[in-house]
Amino acid sequence: DRDVTGVQTCALPISRTPRGMRTYRVSRMSAVTPLAVSFQRPAKFDLAKHWQRSVSELEAQRRRYGTTLLLSPEAAESLIRWCVATPAAVVLPKDAPPAWIAMRVEFESEEQALFLVLGMGVRARVLEPSTLLDRVAGEAMAIAAVAQRARDARDQDMSLSL
């Protein structure tokens, strides 16, 4: 199974609880200790049905943060490996570069969306929501200011060493 980022995940039904069998994601386990006791699967337990029900419940509980992004072809190709993304039926901005694609992208959170959009740099533009656009713009300005201060400090150090 793949999670929302496209990373392969593994889950195992490994315990019986008062509410029935419990499914755990292996990636969430920090340690495993084998026990001397054995486990008996209930006689009428159907692993395939249990797995399908667990996946459906996980999907229903998963948080989603929807965005519409304008992406370069390379960014779109990269993004679909990490997120649920589909072409968006929107009017492209007049200044959209040729071959860029509007995509509807589902993230787990605004933080994940911010992280990935910032990581794509100029290969991605936020079309909506405006709150994400404002956060990306604010972070980009802060990054530019930090980089400029670092350049100024470097230049100052170089002029002092001459």
Side-chain angles (χ1 to χ4, degrees), residues 16-20:
R16 201 175 312 172
T17 70
R19 293 177 42 203

PDB file of all heavy atoms in Angstrom, residues 16-20:
ATOM      1  N   ARG A  16      -5.421  -8.467  19.093  1.00  0.00           N
ATOM      2  CA  ARG A  16      -6.850  -8.548  19.327  1.00  0.00           C
ATOM      3  C   ARG A  16      -7.181  -7.549  20.431  1.00  0.00           C
ATOM      4  O   ARG A  16      -6.503  -7.494  21.446  1.00  0.00           O
ATOM      5  CB  ARG A  16      -7.205  -9.959  19.768  1.00  0.00           C
ATOM      6  CG  ARG A  16      -8.644 -10.310  19.561  1.00  0.00           C
ATOM      7  CD  ARG A  16      -8.910 -11.755  19.895  1.00  0.00           C
ATOM      8  NE  ARG A  16      -7.925 -12.617  19.267  1.00  0.00           N
ATOM      9  CZ  ARG A  16      -7.806 -13.908  19.503  1.00  0.00           C
ATOM     10  NH1 ARG A  16      -8.613 -14.491  20.350  1.00  0.00           N
ATOM     11  NH2 ARG A  16      -6.897 -14.630  18.916  1.00  0.00           N
ATOM     12  N   THR A  17      -8.183  -6.736  20.227  1.00  0.00           N
ATOM     13  CA  THR A  17      -8.614  -5.756  21.218  1.00  0.00           C
ATOM     14  C   THR A  17     -10.091  -5.994  21.504  1.00  0.00           C
ATOM     15  O   THR A  17     -10.741  -6.773  20.795  1.00  0.00           O
ATOM     16  CB  THR A  17      -8.420  -4.314  20.694  1.00  0.00           C
ATOM     17  OG1 THR A  17      -9.366  -4.078  19.654  1.00  0.00           O
ATOM     18  CG2 THR A  17      -7.008  -4.080  20.169  1.00  0.00           C
ATOM     19  N   PRO A  18     -10.646  -5.311  22.504  1.00  0.00           N
ATOM     20  CA  PRO A  18     -12.093  -5.467  22.754  1.00  0.00           C
ATOM     21  C   PRO A  18     -12.943  -5.095  21.540  1.00  0.00           C
ATOM     22  O   PRO A  18     -14.053  -5.580  21.381  1.00  0.00           O
ATOM     23  CB  PRO A  18     -12.350  -4.520  23.926  1.00  0.00           C
ATOM     24  CG  PRO A  18     -11.039  -4.421  24.626  1.00  0.00           C
ATOM     25  CD  PRO A  18      -9.992  -4.513  23.537  1.00  0.00           C
ATOM     26  N   ARG A  19     -12.403  -4.239  20.645  1.00  0.00           N
ATOM     27  CA  ARG A  19     -13.146  -3.844  19.444  1.00  0.00           C
ATOM     28  C   ARG A  19     -12.824  -4.727  18.249  1.00  0.00           C
ATOM     29  O   ARG A  19     -13.246  -4.443  17.140  1.00  0.00           O
ATOM     30  CB  ARG A  19     -12.823  -2.387  19.108  1.00  0.00           C
ATOM     31  CG  ARG A  19     -13.369  -1.433  20.170  1.00  0.00           C
ATOM     32  CD  ARG A  19     -13.001   0.007  19.918  1.00  0.00           C
ATOM     33  NE  ARG A  19     -13.116   0.388  18.528  1.00  0.00           N
ATOM     34  CZ  ARG A  19     -12.469   1.400  17.985  1.00  0.00           C
ATOM     35  NH1 ARG A  19     -11.663   2.134  18.710  1.00  0.00           N
ATOM     36  NH2 ARG A  19     -12.630   1.691  16.709  1.00  0.00           N
ATOM     37  N   GLY A  20     -12.041  -5.768  18.434  1.00  0.00           N
ATOM     38  CA  GLY A  20     -11.685  -6.646  17.325  1.00  0.00           C
ATOM     39  C   GLY A  20     -10.204  -6.574  17.021  1.00  0.00           C
ATOM     40  O   GLY A  20      -9.405  -6.131  17.843  1.00  0.00           O
TER      41      GLY A  20
END
